[in-house]
Amino acid sequence: MDLTFQLFMYVLAAMVGLSLGEQTFIKGGIDQDLRTDGRKRLTYRPIFVETGIIPQASGSARVKLGATDVIASVKAELGRPNPSYPDKGKVSIHVDCSPTAEPSFEGRGGEELSTELCSALERCLLGGKSGAGAGIDLSSLCIVRGKVCWDLYIDGLVVSSDGNVLDALGAAVKAALSNTAIPKVQVSANAPSDEQPEVDVSDEEFLQFDTSGVPVIVGRHYIADATTEEESQMSSAVSVSINRQGRICGLTKRGGAGLHPTVILDMISAAKHVSEQLMNKLDSEIAAAEACDEMES
Amino acid sequence: MGLKCLAQHYLKSTGPSFILTKKNKPLRRRTASLSKMEFVNPEGLRLDGRRPMEMRQLRAEIGVVSKADGSAVFEMGNTKVIAAVYGPREVQNRSQQSNDEALVRCEYSMANFSTGDRMRKPKGDRRSTEISMVIRQTMEACILTHLMPRSQIDIFVQVLQADGGTRSACINAATLALADAGIPMTDIVTSCSAGFLNGTPLLDLNYVEDSAGGPDVTVGILPKLDKVTLLQMDSKLQMETFETVMQLATEGCKAVASYIREVLLENTKQLESRRGV
């Protein structure tokens, strides 16, 4: 199939002005499986993970994917559970795009992108309305059924953006959750709840992982982990969230150009393939970061 | 340990010692009108173990946001701030364009997780707008705007961790970021805060000391020219005490200035070696 090339401008890519020569170079390189920074089509940039950077949060992480830099923090607070789901805790995700990443994010400029990233993350991590199929096991957040539960507030901050912010955020959220330490709560019989701030490292949450934005470019080629220049050239992208068991947890198609259904299925299988490597890489990075963190403290 | 835990830990540790020192007991009772807490214990140590004239540990890094023209991270103790400078570039809003000088814009925002209690609205609230204006005016004083007419310089400051003295940390980070961007300035601007608690002038207040209700003087100076560009104070002070506290803050600024110069020198040496000079 021949996809007619469309220049699709994102809020992000609006700042990138590429000459015709540069565009041809990028497209030509991708056709030959050699991108501008020397990567293959489905190779990710090197990932650096740092955990425990925000001491006053329950868990935090900073992920650098090339020049894309994001920080995620998890704060656990006590709250009342939703009356319709009395034995489940609550998780809320919020993303903020700092103007340091892009001057156009000043004031309310970054709101559009933040909302998009926020809803994409929610779709992958929070599951359906009833909380079923969520990435985080919500019933483990319940303390007293119907009365007290943990509220997790996950905050993401985009400090620097050079393409593929969604993947970096997903990785940061995963690392932050694995770094989260929720205190043990002991409920005394008379008072509504008594808290004992014993720090207990809880790793049992989150099984799933957000991965690969797989953009489509001219021809029949897909690339993973696009930089800003590459993103400005793409006509559409598909973000697939895949968990450890190889199941799809969330799917978002971004961009205006129409895609043939077989193309989408093809991209999903490519994403699955890429995500395995990425997940292993990320797990080892997170483990290394935590070990480093423990050595320092 | 979280910040709140740390404060509570110190509260518990200074409480009993205050009661036990019988010598000082009557004196303390007379002067303990402002705060029930000991900010400077009888040995002369503050809540975090510093001496009254001691500043928190400074740490700076240049060039963290590769996309920006200039960027820097500045840490004063637990306060961590990242600043990015974009410019000089074309003015976005034609109506604000000036024919003889550059337009300097600034935005200050705090991350959701920067304070102990999660913030609901990271930007747009009154405090952020005020601090944005303060930083803009301070930096405008030192940038040679007449050299870059019809252009715009954007300074974006993002607070990652707030533990008192955010205003000062922001100004110091902005100075470094402007230097990294190569924007011509008359002098670097450094800033530091000082306060007065328990009858002692204290340098570089952290969040607990700041929220004690005592006076908080923030000073911004141009160290080489020895001029004050920023001076803010809240609460009340006697005139002589004010002069002492302001002098202390100015000394703090000079200490920050020497640190910033070291960092910039180190950065230049690295650039030189990369270029093979």
Side-chain angles (χ1 to χ4, degrees):
Chain A
M1 88 233 73
D2 248 307
L3 290 160
T4 48
F5 174 72
Q6 275 176 7
L7 199 67
F8 188 82
M9 297 299 229
Y10 263 37
V11 171
L12 257 179
M15 302 308 285
V16 177
L18 291 178
S19 70
L20 196 57
E22 283 174 308
Q23 291 169 21
T24 325
F25 189 73
I26 293 177
K27 279 184 269 177
I30 290 168
D31 279 339
Q32 300 196 359
D33 202 12
L34 183 68
R35 291 152 78 174
T36 35
D37 47 6
R39 286 185 285 155
K40 295 220 168 276
R41 271 182 237 135
L42 298 177
T43 319
Y44 264 72
R45 285 172 284 187
I47 304 178
F48 292 108
V49 177
E50 227 183 298
T51 51
I53 50 165
I54 313 273
Q56 63 253 38
S58 313
S60 58
R62 179 180 191 161
V63 168
K64 284 194 210 170
L65 191 65
T68 304
D69 196 354
V70 301
I71 298 178
S73 93
V74 177
K75 266 221 167 98
E77 283 173 18
L78 291 174
R80 291 191 74 93
N82 194 340
S84 7
Y85 307 110
D87 58 350
K88 288 198 185 331
K90 290 184 282 185
V91 175
S92 79
I93 304 181
H94 176 81
V95 174
D96 188 28
C97 293
S98 168
T100 54
E102 202 61 54
S104 57
F105 291 164
E106 187 187 357
R108 308 198 57 167
E111 259 184 49
E112 200 182 303
L113 183 63
S114 338
T115 337
E116 191 192 317
L117 292 169
C118 194
S119 27
L121 280 176
E122 276 179 359
R123 207 170 295 136
C124 303
L125 285 170
L126 295 185
K129 284 219 176 73
S130 64
I136 303 168
D137 187 15
L138 292 176
S139 31
S140 64
L141 295 174
C142 178
I143 304 169
V144 176
R145 192 198 151 90
K147 293 221 181 86
V148 188
C149 71
W150 282 115
D151 280 341
L152 282 187
Y153 292 103
I154 304 180
D155 291 308
L157 177 71
V158 179
V159 173
S160 165
S161 81
D162 187 29
N164 209 12
V165 182
L166 187 56
D167 284 14
L169 272 171
V173 169
K174 177 181 162 87
L177 284 171
S178 70
N179 179 243
T180 306
I182 296 187
K184 251 195 198 136
V185 178
Q186 284 190 359
V187 186
S188 69
N190 28 9
S193 103
D194 246 320
E195 187 175 326
Q196 222 124 320
E198 282 170 36
V199 174
D200 182 30
V201 182
S202 66
D203 272 347
E204 85 277 6
E205 319 187 334
F206 87 95
L207 321 146
Q208 305 179 348
F209 173 58
D210 185 16
T211 175
S212 47
V214 183
V216 170
I217 299 238
V218 169
R220 294 159 216 98
H221 301 126
Y222 325 125
I223 59 172
D225 191 22
T227 58
T228 329
E229 290 94 26
E230 291 166 342
E231 267 187 10
S232 69
Q233 301 304 301
M234 72 182 179
S235 44
S236 49
V238 173
S239 293
V240 187
S241 165
I242 298 184
N243 76 354
R244 222 173 274 268
Q245 284 91 35
R247 302 239 176 107
I248 299 176
C249 309
L251 196 70
T252 314
K253 182 195 169 298
R254 290 137 55 205
L259 292 174
H260 200 272
T262 46
V263 174
I264 297 193
L265 291 174
D266 210 10
M267 285 165 82
I268 293 176
S269 54
K272 256 194 195 161
H273 173 73
V274 173
S275 72
E276 275 167 33
Q277 301 163 1
L278 181 61
M279 222 177 308
N280 294 335
K281 178 98 196 299
L282 198 62
D283 282 335
S284 60
E285 285 286 327
I286 293 177
E290 301 236 299
C292 215
D293 197 26
E294 270 171 36
M295 262 165 43
E296 272 171 31
S297 61
Chain B
M1 275 198 280
L3 218 57
K4 269 188 187 157
C5 295
L6 199 70
Q8 280 166 7
H9 169 78
Y10 276 114
L11 271 172
K12 282 187 210 143
S13 61
T14 53
S17 66
F18 155 64
I19 296 168
L20 286 171
T21 47
K22 289 205 174 143
K23 279 193 284 184
N24 293 329
K25 212 171 175 182
L27 196 68
R28 285 284 179 270
R29 281 240 173 91
R30 245 182 273 142
T31 56
S33 50
L34 209 66
S35 52
K36 301 183 188 89
M37 217 166 87
E38 273 266 314
F39 291 102
V40 186
N41 70 16
E43 285 111 58
L45 292 178
R46 287 151 80 171
L47 290 174
D48 48 7
R50 284 186 285 154
R51 300 240 151 241
M53 309 261 177
E54 202 182 313
M55 235 169 105
R56 288 178 290 184
Q57 194 184 37
L58 300 174
R59 209 185 80 85
E61 207 184 314
I62 300 187
V64 279
V65 179
S66 42
K67 250 189 133 200
D69 292 321
S71 60
V73 169
F74 199 86
E75 284 181 58
M76 289 173 93
N78 280 331
T79 302
K80 190 169 179 187
V81 160
I82 194 170
V85 167
Y86 287 89
R89 58 196 191 118
E90 204 182 315
V91 181
Q92 307 291 303
N93 194 353
R94 269 303 173 81
S95 57
Q96 291 175 341
Q97 185 175 335
S98 165
N99 276 330
D100 1 292
E101 50 183 30
L103 179 69
V104 177
R105 286 161 76 238
C106 177
E107 183 172 295
Y108 166 94
S109 49
M110 297 184 77
N112 266 336
F113 42 78
S114 55
T115 53
D117 302 316
R118 192 172 162 267
M119 278 189 72
R120 304 292 149 193
K121 213 177 160 197
K123 30 181 149 164
D125 60 320
R126 288 189 25 195
R127 183 173 169 270
S128 302
T129 323
E130 192 242 329
I131 298 184
S132 305
M133 192 198 67
V134 161
I135 299 177
R136 184 179 62 78
Q137 285 176 348
T138 317
M139 304 324 291
E140 216 168 13
C142 72
I143 298 179
L144 295 168
T145 46
H146 61 273
L147 291 180
M148 299 161 289
R150 291 180 291 277
S151 72
Q152 172 179 313
I153 299 173
D154 289 322
I155 307 172
F156 299 119
V157 184
Q158 177 82 38
V159 176
L160 299 175
Q161 270 172 255
D163 184 27
T166 43
R167 216 168 291 224
S168 308
C170 288
I171 291 176
N172 295 329
T175 301
L176 275 173
L178 283 169
D180 187 35
I183 291 179
M185 300 192 280
T186 52
D187 195 0
I188 56 173
V189 188
T190 55
S191 164
C192 193
S193 65
F196 191 76
L197 287 171
N198 287 154
T200 338
L202 302 174
L203 180 61
D204 197 11
L205 305 173
N206 58 23
Y207 180 71
V208 185
E209 291 166 343
D210 203 359
S211 42
D216 174 21
V217 178
T218 308
V219 175
I221 63 166
L222 300 171
K224 272 248 168 76
L225 301 176
D226 216 3
K227 290 198 172 158
V228 175
T229 53
L230 168 70
L231 182 57
Q232 285 187 327
M233 188 186 105
D234 52 17
S235 184
K236 51 186 186 208
L237 266 186
Q238 290 203 336
M239 274 310 292
E240 304 85 35
T241 334
F242 170 71
E243 282 174 30
T244 326
V245 174
M246 189 176 139
Q247 186 58 35
L248 184 61
T250 316
E251 293 298 317
C253 291
K254 297 213 170 102
V256 175
S258 60
Y259 177 71
I260 285 185
R261 276 201 204 98
E262 261 176 48
V263 172
L264 285 173
L265 198 61
E266 185 62 46
N267 189 45
T268 315
K269 282 188 184 152
Q270 273 185 11
L271 286 174
E272 268 185 336
S273 68
R274 269 188 226 149
R275 279 196 164 187
V277 168

